[in-house]
Amino acid sequence: MKVPLRSLLLVCIILTSKAYSQSTPQYLVAPGEYQVFFIKTSTNTAYSIGGAVATVGIGSNTGAVGTAIPMAFPAGTQIKQISSSLHNGIAIDMNGNAWFWGVNDSGMRADGTVGGAISYSPVQIMSDSLGNPFTNLNQVSSWWSETGSYGALACKNDGTVWIWGNTLGGMRGNGYYGGRNCYPVQVNIPGNPHIVKVLAGEICMALDNNGNVYTWGGNGRNICLGTNATDYTTPQKVNLPKPAKDIAGAELFEYALATDGTLYGWGMYGAYLGIGTGPYLSSNTYQPLPVDLTSDLALPHPVSQIMCNSVCTHVILTDSTLWGWGDNTQGNIGNGIETNWATYPTPYAWDWGPAEVLQHNPVQIMPLVHNFTNLFAGSACCFYMYAEDATGQLYSWGRNKSAVLGNQVVGATSDLNASYPDGWDQPTITAVNPFAVTAATMYLSTCPYCLLNPTSSPCSEYPLPANVPPVSVPGSNQTITLPTSTTILDGTGSHDPNGTVVYYKWRQVSGPSANTVLDSTYSRTRIAGLVAGTYVYRLTVTDNRWDTNGATMTVVVQNSSGDVPPTVSAGSNQTIQLPASSATLTGTATGNNGATIAGTDWTEVSGPVSATISSSSSLSTGVSGLTTAGTYVFQLKAT
């Protein structure tokens, strides 16, 4: 049987000049800007990673760079929850006590002082502003705001709400602009509702046990409050059409997840909510009141869990898949995309511009994983995320400033970290085990900018060592039989002999149909749309020292009879310059499974004028008459 196959095209250009329950996770993760904290729920012990002095609570002035180190809580203290801000952290223990560590620049130590000695070890917050014991706490949320406010918001088991720190911008919630509160003070919410969750970012949010949501603060940006109230200094009830079961939000965009799964959003950054179309400046619209986001987001299943970091949103759906949208400048979304830092005004140093790489519509993250159960994020200058699946496997992605991703990649010096904080971004979601990272397994890295400028400051602080390139392992060759037209390519065997693989990139080299790679930036990718013929795929991997390597593998797709169409190539694209008006086309055709080539045929698919093919049945032929500038497409078919 003769089997025809059309090859890849040659172009000549002429120039003129399963659902899982949200059960208790194995780990709880609390991201902060310079540091991240972990709680092992089996023992309620706390650990920390970070490179900033005093932010990690391990009892010394040496940061736990790159590896999870037990925190210095008093013996026997079991930790329930941690919230992290810029330069400190707050924890709630299983007995309802609050603990502070880090820098006391806003009075968050809650002992009546501002500044003073750094708390390298956690210290208990003993009393509130009235001198009563400060205990019976259930949950806490630290924040940092562009207005300069900086503190902690907490709720107790009795449903009351408390706040301390720098409460400027109406965050105090008592009808005044606010100031420093060096002891916890109660926030009085109208009607005295029983609050079960609080969340602080650019505004304060609270959720009560009846599904009502309350907001205040924001320094006069009332559009972020979700109410029609003109007073931002006292709590107001959000105008929600349905009762809520959860709240989320960060920098000027907020959410309420209704008990029936409907997701509502409001705020200044409508584009971050997934509303509208197009780039940020043309699509961003203010949303002063909650709007049903169902049609804008068009998610395939209801939302089960939602979390926000400073600039983007992630959700786990009821089918346990993970999706994200919002600002993707630093790889925040996790789908392998971020800005080109090499061409940024100051390379590898973000200027805080909004939505410079906008992921407007939700995109599925790691599509081959369908058992995500929990999300973890922070709103205080946090540009990364953690997720956990049903097996307890942790994943991280985004900005890796101070080695917070737990992926073994560490900026070589503190000055490099400060000068090029985006030199170690991990834009693709990656499985990590921060508890297995040791000093021996951490990989010091330089910023890619320093590879080109090794003698500049501070690049010169880290002499570049010899590097062994990574090894790309795209998996074994495959043969599949129609009607099966999909497969999975597995590059998880790729590795780096003296570091770790940071980036994966799959591309189709050749094949009878195009655009078959669905998940090009993951170690494993789905392949779809296959027809009979031979496909070649290349996996390129990049290590933490920015060296690359690639390898190819082949997928043969045969008919049910076992026939495989010939492998055909039309050759490389060509560019010629007028007045030249001719070119030579050289293709190849090879039979598969012992077949021979019965015939070949060149044709012109498109072009400004009709060209003359001198010998259309030959693999190599001249073409003439290319007298008009433009693009000509020629096709080679083999039988």
Side-chain angles (χ1 to χ4, degrees):
M1 181 176 70
K2 293 183 178 180
V3 184
L5 174 69
R6 292 184 175 178
S7 79
L8 294 175
L9 301 179
L10 177 144
V11 179
C12 286
I13 302 175
I14 313 301
L15 304 177
T16 53
S17 20
K18 290 177 185 171
Y20 290 82
S21 64
Q22 302 294 313
S23 57
T24 301
Q26 291 188 30
Y27 304 101
L28 297 174
V29 187
E33 183 191 14
Y34 295 96
Q35 63 284 329
V36 59
F37 302 98
F38 304 89
I39 300 173
K40 286 188 176 180
T41 57
S42 60
T43 59
N44 293 106
T45 52
Y47 302 78
S48 65
I49 289 177
V53 173
T55 63
V56 289
I58 61 173
S60 70
N61 62 357
T62 301
V65 180
T67 179
I69 294 179
M71 297 181 65
F73 285 96
T77 306
Q78 293 185 308
I79 302 304
K80 176 181 181 180
Q81 189 231 337
I82 297 176
S83 182
S84 177
S85 187
L86 292 185
H87 309 126
N88 42 45
I90 302 287
I92 304 298
D93 68 24
M94 299 300 289
N95 294 320
N97 301 310
W99 298 81
F100 166 88
W101 61 92
V103 180
N104 190 36
D105 50 0
S106 64
M108 286 178 66
R109 189 160 52 210
D111 60 358
T113 67
V114 176
I118 294 172
S119 297
Y120 292 108
S121 299
V123 294
Q124 186 176 345
I125 298 175
M126 300 302 296
S127 62
D128 62 27
S129 60
L130 299 178
N132 299 314
F134 192 56
T135 188
N136 196 33
L137 275 82
N138 179 53
Q139 185 245 331
V140 65
S141 176
S142 300
W143 88 87
W144 175 89
S145 169
E146 293 179 1
T147 64
S149 63
Y150 181 15
L153 181 70
C155 61
K156 291 188 175 184
N157 290 310
D158 62 6
T160 59
V161 176
W162 298 77
I163 196 168
W164 66 100
N166 188 330
T167 61
L168 295 175
M171 304 292 269
R172 170 65 181 87
N174 64 346
Y176 296 93
Y177 188 72
R180 281 200 177 98
N181 296 96
C182 299
Y183 292 99
V185 293
Q186 186 174 352
V187 178
N188 295 311
I189 298 178
N192 296 316
H194 186 102
I195 300 300
V196 295
K197 181 176 182 178
V198 291
L199 181 65
E202 291 297 319
I203 67 168
C204 292
M205 303 177 70
L207 172 68
D208 73 16
N209 58 357
N210 292 317
N212 297 306
V213 176
Y214 306 84
T215 60
W216 66 97
N219 199 39
R221 291 172 292 195
N222 292 16
I223 202 166
C224 298
L225 299 176
T227 69
N228 285 319
T230 58
D231 179 13
Y232 64 90
T233 64
T234 56
Q236 309 283 341
K237 187 183 294 185
V238 175
N239 301 314
L240 284 174
K242 302 174 182 177
K245 61 180 178 181
D246 201 3
I247 52 178
E251 289 190 0
L252 310 178
F253 60 104
E254 324 297 336
Y255 297 94
L257 179 61
T259 52
D260 68 355
T262 303
L263 186 61
Y264 294 93
W266 66 92
M268 290 182 66
Y269 284 1
Y272 284 18
L273 297 170
I275 296 173
T277 59
Y280 171 72
L281 290 178
S282 63
S283 63
N284 190 60
T285 55
Y286 289 177
Q287 302 295 328
L289 295 176
V291 58
D292 185 340
L293 298 174
T294 302
S295 61
D296 286 286
L297 298 177
L299 292 164
H301 298 280
V303 174
S304 175
Q305 187 178 151
I306 180 169
M307 291 291 288
C308 300
N309 67 17
S310 291
V311 293
C312 64
T313 304
H314 285 80
V315 294
I316 295 175
L317 305 185
T318 53
D319 66 345
S320 296
T321 57
L322 175 61
W323 299 70
W325 64 92
D327 184 8
N328 204 13
T329 303
Q330 294 151 309
N332 315 65
I333 304 299
N335 63 340
I337 297 172
E338 67 173 347
T339 194
N340 183 356
W341 291 109
T343 61
Y344 206 68
T346 300
Y348 299 93
W350 185 41
D351 65 6
W352 296 78
E356 292 173 330
V357 181
L358 180 64
Q359 177 62 51
H360 202 288
N361 300 314
V363 60
Q364 188 174 356
I365 311 302
M366 195 168 273
L368 288 171
V369 176
H370 285 203
N371 66 338
F372 287 106
T373 55
N374 292 279
L375 285 166
F376 307 101
S379 63
C381 296
C382 286
F383 308 106
Y384 65 98
M385 298 277 292
Y386 272 80
E388 186 174 359
D389 68 22
T391 70
Q393 174 64 59
L394 290 174
Y395 301 83
S396 63
W397 64 96
R399 192 185 213 191
N400 194 29
K401 184 177 183 179
S402 295
V404 290
L405 295 185
N407 64 349
Q408 299 176 279
V409 178
V410 179
T413 72
S414 58
D415 288 337
L416 283 173
N417 271 307
S419 299
Y420 306 110
D422 298 289
W424 303 273
D425 293 351
Q426 175 61 63
T428 302
I429 183 173
T430 302
V432 296
N433 182 3
F435 301 94
V437 178
T438 66
T441 61
M442 289 187 291
Y443 303 116
L444 296 181
S445 296
T446 186
C447 175
Y449 175 83
C450 295
L451 296 178
L452 301 176
N453 304 274
T455 61
S456 65
S457 178
C459 298
S460 58
E461 294 180 352
Y462 180 64
L464 298 179
N467 187 44
V468 179
V471 179
S472 174
V473 182
S476 302
N477 295 336
Q478 301 181 30
T479 297
I480 64 175
T481 302
L482 294 174
T484 300
S485 61
T486 64
T487 190
I488 293 173
L489 308 185
D490 191 342
T492 54
S494 303
H495 58 278
D496 184 24
N498 64 337
T500 185
V501 173
V502 178
Y503 296 94
Y504 296 84
K505 183 64 177 180
W506 290 95
R507 69 179 179 89
Q508 180 179 327
V509 177
S510 62
S513 61
N515 303 319
T516 60
V517 178
L518 300 183
D519 314 309
S520 63
T521 60
Y522 300 98
S523 60
R524 301 172 70 225
T525 179
R526 298 169 298 165
I527 304 295
L530 300 174
V531 298
T534 300
Y535 294 81
V536 177
Y537 297 96
R538 183 174 184 84
L539 172 62
T540 300
V541 294
T542 304
D543 66 14
N544 60 291
R545 294 180 182 172
W546 315 108
D547 209 346
T548 62
N549 204 349
T552 60
M553 58 85 64
T554 300
V555 177
V556 175
V557 184
Q558 61 186 12
N559 293 313
S560 57
S561 62
D563 292 327
V564 180
T567 300
V568 184
S569 171
S572 301
N573 294 337
Q574 301 180 36
T575 298
I576 63 175
Q577 181 87 32
L578 290 175
S581 61
S582 62
T584 299
L585 310 181
T586 302
T588 61
T590 305
N592 292 301
N593 291 354
T596 58
I597 300 300
T600 57
D601 183 44
W602 282 101
T603 57
E604 181 182 355
V605 176
S606 62
V609 296
S610 295
T612 299
I613 302 175
S614 60
S615 180
S616 62
S617 61
S618 299
L619 286 173
S620 181
T621 180
V623 291
S624 58
L626 309 175
T627 56
T628 303
T631 300
Y632 297 77
V633 179
F634 297 95
Q635 187 175 68
L636 175 63
K637 180 169 62 176
T639 304

